[in-house]
Amino acid sequence: MESLINHLRQYSRLSSEAEAALTDSFNQLTLSRNEYLLTEGRICRHLYFLETGALRGYYTLEDKEITHWFGFENDFVTSFHSFITGEPSVENLQLLEGSVLWSISKDTLTTLLGRFHEIERLLRIAYEKYYIRLEERFVNAQFKTAAERYDQLLSQTPHILERVPLGQVASYLGISQETLSRIRSRF
């Protein structure tokens, strides 16, 4: 829990009352590799803070898994669309490594947001970070070549290549595993 509180302190000061309320509201989860936080068709009712480990968000289209994001230490993760709207998720959240997460329900979070404006500010910052990542993914997919996307991955998030199977990296980049192999041989 200390890593979560320390992470939040990077973005804004929290009153001791807000810190205590957050500490009381999050529950620790320890999950194994390949377990799921969420499967498509289910409503996501929790926001998670990933203390250790890794996970991915992916869709299934025509029996093919399409990875569209990864989460690592100190990331807030959830199926944002489902969490915010209360509609069934169209994505799956699967752990890539054994992981320790902190979970808070939407109902509990909503109560805290009404009580503490500084927590509301922190949630806004988390949503802004998510939006920025989403927009970067969109721009990359629309305007960069596969080699440029791989080069950006190498320069900005090289740890992905060390921790994620290459098939999932290829899917994340929007290319086949064969294309990824050809690109990697040039770098």
Side-chain angles (χ1 to χ4, degrees):
M1 175 53 84
E2 190 63 31
S3 64
L4 169 58
I5 298 299
N6 286 335
H7 182 74
L8 294 175
R9 286 178 184 150
Q10 294 175 21
Y11 300 105
S12 180
R13 282 183 44 90
L14 289 170
S15 66
S16 58
E17 295 83 12
E19 279 190 22
L22 283 167
T23 300
D24 291 342
S25 298
F26 275 87
N27 297 307
Q28 187 179 39
L29 297 171
T30 303
L31 300 173
S32 301
R33 180 177 187 265
N34 292 327
E35 284 191 69
Y36 285 84
L37 280 180
L38 180 71
T39 54
E40 62 185 282
R42 303 203 53 181
I43 297 172
C44 185
R45 301 183 193 283
H46 292 84
L47 176 67
Y48 303 92
F49 176 76
L50 186 56
E51 182 175 311
T52 62
L55 66 109
R56 70 178 177 134
Y58 74 91
Y59 299 100
T60 304
L61 180 63
E62 298 173 2
D63 295 325
K64 184 178 177 184
E65 294 179 0
I66 302 168
T67 299
H68 67 104
W69 63 269
F70 297 107
F72 298 96
E73 288 80 9
N74 296 321
D75 280 339
F76 283 98
V77 296
T78 192
S79 177
F80 277 98
H81 185 270
S82 179
F83 181 73
I84 292 168
T85 65
E87 296 175 3
S89 176
V90 295
E91 68 182 316
N92 302 282
L93 305 182
Q94 181 187 30
L95 298 176
L96 299 174
E97 301 172 353
S99 301
V100 175
L101 303 104
W102 293 91
S103 167
I104 187 168
S105 73
K106 181 166 185 178
D107 292 340
T108 302
L109 182 59
T110 300
T111 299
L112 291 177
L113 295 175
R115 289 180 52 207
F116 301 101
H117 290 293
E118 66 254 49
I119 295 175
E120 188 173 41
R121 181 176 190 279
L122 289 171
L123 185 64
R124 179 184 52 80
I125 291 168
Y127 282 179
E128 287 171 353
K129 288 181 71 163
Y130 173 76
Y131 176 79
I132 288 167
R133 284 174 57 185
L134 185 65
E135 187 172 295
E136 287 172 349
R137 291 273 300 141
F138 174 77
V139 168
N140 287 343
Q142 294 295 313
F143 302 110
K144 293 191 177 182
T145 66
E148 289 170 332
R149 291 192 304 271
Y150 180 74
D151 185 45
Q152 184 175 8
L153 183 124
L154 275 178
S155 64
Q156 293 182 1
T157 53
H159 63 279
I160 289 177
L161 293 170
E162 299 166 4
R163 298 174 70 181
V164 175
L166 287 180
Q168 292 172 7
V169 172
S171 175
Y172 174 72
L173 293 173
I175 58 179
S176 69
Q177 196 163 349
E178 294 78 17
T179 300
L180 177 59
S181 294
R182 281 194 299 276
I183 292 170
R184 287 182 58 161
S185 70
R186 288 185 266 167
F187 278 83

